Amino acid sequence: TGGYIIKIDKEYAGENNAGWQGEYNLEGYDSIYYQYHYPEPDTITIQQKSYIKDYITDFESLMITDSFNHPVDGYYNKIDIHSLLHMTILNTLSKNIDGFRYSFFFHKDNDRIDNRLTFGPIWDYDRAFGNASYLNAFNPEGWFLDLLVDMPFWVNRIWNDPIFRNYFNIQTQSYFSSILSENSINSLIDS
């Protein structure tokens, strides 16, 4: 029931790639190609492939509905909200134009530990901090998620959910006035 790392990346980035095409998309979004990262494609069993594909398909099936953000039956208990908040804050701070599109990892622990999707580890920030000349990524102002294309439709749905946006605003204000403040970051760089 767990121990999986899945990634969303360019379909054949790196070596030893395999995965499956997601079932759903919203208008303006292509279906997502999910890739096995761990267990690796050449060692994952048929049963493991079936389990994780069904798990992600069930998540997508929820996210495509109008009740995706229902207080009880919605996505809030299906994902680790804090891990997604942290990933969103880091991608926003760095304006990582590849965030949620390429080198986007999430994992599923064994159900005895946690039965939700957890986002991370963070990876691949070579197109961050203004180091991209497309999609206005070089401009330090604005929300990076409003610029992105080719991301999973469910990232956009979560981003536009007022409850998630409120969590994001509260967490961002807390971090930007403490560990992610300009003084804190400059002090870390100087050290």
Side-chain angles (χ1 to χ4, degrees), residues 125-191:
Y125 278 63
D126 66 329
R127 305 270 189 224
F129 295 104
N131 194 30
S133 61
Y134 54 94
L135 295 176
N136 206 26
F138 52 87
N139 183 349
E141 296 180 4
W143 295 112
F144 94 103
L145 277 172
D146 293 336
L147 303 173
L148 295 185
V149 294
D150 302 330
M151 67 179 168
F153 75 89
W154 45 265
V155 170
N156 183 276
R157 296 207 88 186
I158 293 171
W159 176 243
N160 288 300
D161 173 26
I163 301 296
F164 180 81
R165 191 68 74 102
N166 187 50
Y167 288 150
F168 174 81
N169 290 338
I170 291 167
Q171 194 74 69
T172 300
Q173 289 174 16
S174 171
Y175 284 166
F176 282 13
S177 64
S178 60
I179 61 172
L180 294 178
S181 70
E182 187 175 344
N183 287 340
S184 179
I185 291 172
N186 286 337
S187 178
L188 178 64
I189 291 168
D190 289 345
S191 71

Side-chain angles (χ1 to χ4, degrees), residues 94-124:
S94 65
K95 208 156 188 186
N96 179 18
I97 205 64
D98 283 347
F100 298 113
R101 302 177 337 130
Y102 304 122
S103 302
F104 171 29
F105 289 86
F106 50 97
H107 58 277
K108 163 72 176 63
D109 273 325
N110 188 289
D111 281 348
R112 291 186 311 263
I113 299 168
D114 192 341
N115 67 348
R116 302 170 299 167
L117 286 178
T118 301
F119 297 89
I122 60 166
W123 191 260
D124 191 13

Side-chain angles (χ1 to χ4, degrees), residues 32-46:
I32 297 301
Y33 186 71
Y34 297 98
Q35 297 179 45
Y36 310 112
H37 188 73
Y38 182 85
E40 293 182 354
D42 56 0
T43 61
I44 191 169
T45 68
I46 292 171

